[in-house]
Amino acid sequence: MPVAPSSAAELRIPIVQGVDVISAQIKIRRFARDAGFDPRDQWRIAIAVSEAATNILKFGERGEIIVRFVVTGDGDPFLEFVAHDEGQGFTSVEEALRDRFTEGVDLDRELYPYRGRGLGLGLGAIARMMDVLEIGRGEDQGAVVCARKWLRRSPSATRR
């Protein structure tokens, strides 16, 4: 999934307890800001990482998010995060990506959809906020979510 960068800055965020979700969101927003992302994209990235961190705790108990800012010789720079956990992985990636499907339950068909369940919007939100989303299974099981957001230069930043 991840690309071999020609140069990259990296941040590793362990996800072990609830406070790590908030910490990850703060750290990734700063990382994105320092990489040159505009405030809207900073928040999109931060929310996507927060969703991934929440899923790690909910479905995988513990894991890690690795964030890289990648500059390649042949393309635009991008931010990439890889979230992996120690859980069982996805039963069905297609269902996991479908909005309102959570924990094996289709909330559109469930009579009491919010009893202790999430809204089933997390992976779909990541897909909508990032430019690329890849989902798979880790070498030692668990889920792996890789997402990328390209750095877009504003027209005023490229003018002289």
Side-chain angles (χ1 to χ4, degrees):
M1 274 187 231
V3 204
S6 58
S7 94
E10 184 175 282
L11 173 65
R12 290 178 166 268
I13 307 168
I15 306 296
V16 181
Q17 57 187 348
V19 70
D20 295 335
V21 174
I22 296 165
S23 176
Q25 190 177 52
I26 292 166
K27 288 175 182 176
I28 189 61
R29 186 163 179 268
R30 286 183 188 148
F31 189 91
R33 179 198 64 208
D34 292 348
F37 285 87
D38 68 42
R40 284 186 183 167
D41 279 344
Q42 291 170 32
W43 279 111
R44 287 180 183 113
I45 294 164
I47 291 168
V49 165
S50 178
E51 290 291 342
T54 299
N55 283 349
I56 286 172
L57 290 178
K58 192 170 190 178
F59 301 109
E61 294 184 35
R62 62 178 52 246
E64 182 179 43
I65 298 177
I66 302 166
V67 185
R68 296 180 189 98
F69 182 67
V70 181
V71 180
T72 61
D74 60 345
D76 294 327
F78 61 90
L79 184 144
E80 170 183 79
F81 74 82
V82 179
H84 61 88
D85 65 37
E86 297 176 6
Q88 297 300 309
F90 294 97
T91 307
S92 167
V93 172
E94 294 77 25
E95 286 180 338
L97 281 168
R98 191 165 52 91
D99 282 345
R100 299 192 43 79
F101 187 88
T102 184
E103 302 162 63
V105 175
D106 183 345
L107 295 182
D108 288 329
R109 294 186 183 149
E110 177 86 2
L111 185 57
Y112 300 104
Y114 303 109
R115 284 195 172 163
R117 291 197 169 99
L119 298 176
L121 301 174
L123 285 175
I126 294 171
R128 287 185 288 276
M129 290 185 213
M130 302 296 286
D131 295 321
V132 174
L133 175 65
E134 297 173 348
I135 299 172
R137 186 176 286 276
E139 294 173 12
D140 56 348
Q141 301 301 317
V144 177
V145 173
C146 177
R148 294 188 191 120
K149 184 73 146 172
W150 273 272
L151 178 63
R152 291 169 180 76
R153 307 270 185 213
S154 67
S156 61
T158 56
R159 289 189 207 144
R160 296 179 189 210

